[in-house]
Amino acid sequence: MRRTRAAGALLLAGAVTVLAAAGPAQAQEYRYWAFWDGADRGSWTYATQGPATVRPADGAVEGFRFTVSADSAAAGRPRAAADFDALCRATPAKDGRKRIGIVIDFGTAADAPGGARPPAARTACAQVPEDASAGEALAAVARPLRYDSNALLCAIAGYPTSGCADQVSGADGAKGAPKGADGSTAVGGSKGAGDGGDGGPSAGLLGGVAAVVVLGGAAVWQARRRRG
């Protein structure tokens, strides 16, 4: 009985040690262009795909905001409303074409790399072919665009002049974690089992600790049953 109790205590102690060693995780921040879909009533929703794969319908509004963040919850939204009527009222409809409202927010001085001065925000109404992507609509009104080799949107209208999804703070994280034009990767996307974006121990770690505790308790119970 003492041995089984000792074994259970050892497992519990090991679990607590692992949990304590985990400590709070530091989220990695990036400086990048966040992509937003215009939602009802002029609000914004963080896009779940990249601008090259989203093919908005006529009447949609797409937003781009240069921001510094670690995930979608902290990413800066475009400060102008997603108001299609205001953006495209002066652009008449045409057969075989669609109209997409575009909002471009170059961010704040605090977001700017290397002390650069962000340009003034701009809006436009892109009239593009019916099968055009959001990226093509953006290119129609805000050239030059700059992409990296992974199709990550690095610059809009030439801003910023260099860099692409650069790390801003934190110890870990791979450059280029924000969403690429093909939507393959995103800062703030669905968390994996091992992510700890809230600054505490990860869900995967807590699950592992719980499993150790349960297995330890089961071992003690089985030993008592055999001796009984």
Side-chain angles (χ1 to χ4, degrees):
M1 180 67 70
R2 290 180 180 178
R3 289 182 179 179
T4 56
R5 288 179 178 176
L10 182 60
L11 287 168
L12 289 171
V16 172
T17 300
V18 171
L19 181 59
Q26 183 175 10
Q28 174 63 58
E29 290 188 322
Y30 299 86
R31 179 179 286 113
Y32 70 107
W33 279 103
F35 176 41
W36 297 84
D37 289 324
D40 293 338
R41 300 179 183 177
S43 61
W44 295 103
T45 301
Y46 197 84
T48 58
Q49 300 180 58
T53 57
V54 171
R55 299 191 181 277
D58 181 79
V61 179
E62 304 298 340
F64 300 84
R65 167 71 186 266
F66 196 69
T67 186
V68 173
S69 74
D71 55 40
S72 60
R77 289 173 169 78
R79 287 168 285 183
D83 188 339
F84 175 79
D85 290 338
L87 295 171
C88 291
R89 65 164 58 101
T91 304
K94 289 184 180 180
D95 291 340
R97 310 279 287 181
K98 63 183 177 182
R99 295 169 297 165
I100 308 299
I102 301 291
V103 175
I104 305 169
D105 189 329
F106 294 89
T108 66
D111 298 329
R117 184 175 180 178
R122 64 168 74 174
T123 60
C125 183
Q127 194 162 59
V128 291
E130 291 180 335
D131 62 347
S133 68
E136 290 168 329
L138 176 65
V141 298
R143 291 184 182 274
L145 305 183
R146 178 166 56 86
Y147 290 89
D148 72 359
S149 59
N150 296 314
L152 182 70
L153 180 61
C154 305
I156 297 175
Y159 182 84
T161 58
S162 62
C164 194
D166 295 330
Q167 294 180 2
V168 175
S169 64
D172 299 316
K175 180 179 177 182
K179 189 191 315 300
D182 61 356
S184 57
T185 311
V187 164
S190 299
K191 293 182 179 180
D195 293 337
D198 60 358
S202 70
L205 176 61
L206 291 175
V209 170
V212 170
V213 173
V214 170
L215 289 173
V220 173
W221 178 80
Q222 289 177 357
R224 287 178 177 175
R225 184 180 180 184
R226 284 196 299 269
R227 288 180 180 273

